[in-house]
Amino acid sequence: MLKDHEEAVKQYKKMLQLAWLEGDVHSEMTAYDCLSTDYYYMGEIEKSKYYHERMTRGKMENNTSIVKKVSTNLLKSRQDQRHNLGMLLDPNKQK
């Protein structure tokens, strides 16, 4: 059962990164709420409290945050790589 919560945390962190990339406040808050819950069931109470506080206070990650910048830049880079690979495989695709 612990493995399920560990996997859920990984997926909710991905959700959080995508929310940052898209500027989706609702999804960011939902990710914080879900992370709080799964950390609680994993027995990681301090992490659970941290994410719960962020969600209940509506505290979004600051746009100048290094973590947010690195995360969104990495996602953008991966999207660009996939797009470029698709263009190589099918040069007739429009950009």
Side-chain angles (χ1 to χ4, degrees):
M1 187 136 193
L2 182 61
K3 293 283 185 196
D4 292 339
H5 292 294
E6 290 171 349
E7 182 60 30
V9 165
K10 288 179 189 176
Q11 296 304 317
Y12 290 131
K13 285 185 177 183
K14 287 179 184 181
M15 177 183 180
L16 181 59
Q17 292 175 320
L18 288 170
W20 290 341
L21 181 65
E22 297 297 322
D24 185 343
V25 175
H26 177 73
S27 293
E28 183 175 352
M29 292 301 117
T30 300
Y32 290 145
D33 188 29
C34 294
L35 284 165
S36 172
T37 301
D38 279 292
Y39 276 125
Y40 175 83
Y41 286 118
M42 290 169 61
E44 297 191 40
I45 304 305
E46 289 306 311
K47 287 182 181 180
S48 176
K49 285 181 185 178
Y50 171 79
Y51 287 110
H52 180 73
E53 284 293 313
R54 288 196 80 112
M55 188 273 302
T56 56
R57 294 175 187 241
K59 187 170 190 232
M60 299 179 304
E61 190 72 22
N62 190 314
N63 287 331
T64 61
S65 160
I66 298 297
V67 172
K68 187 173 182 176
K69 284 182 179 181
V70 168
S71 175
T72 54
N73 286 339
L74 182 61
L75 286 175
K76 286 177 188 175
S77 174
R78 287 180 183 164
Q79 286 177 341
D80 290 344
Q81 287 174 349
R82 286 186 186 121
H83 174 75
N84 292 337
L85 179 60
M87 293 300 294
L88 286 173
L89 296 175
D90 185 359
N92 295 322
K93 284 186 179 180
Q94 294 181 4
K95 288 187 178 185

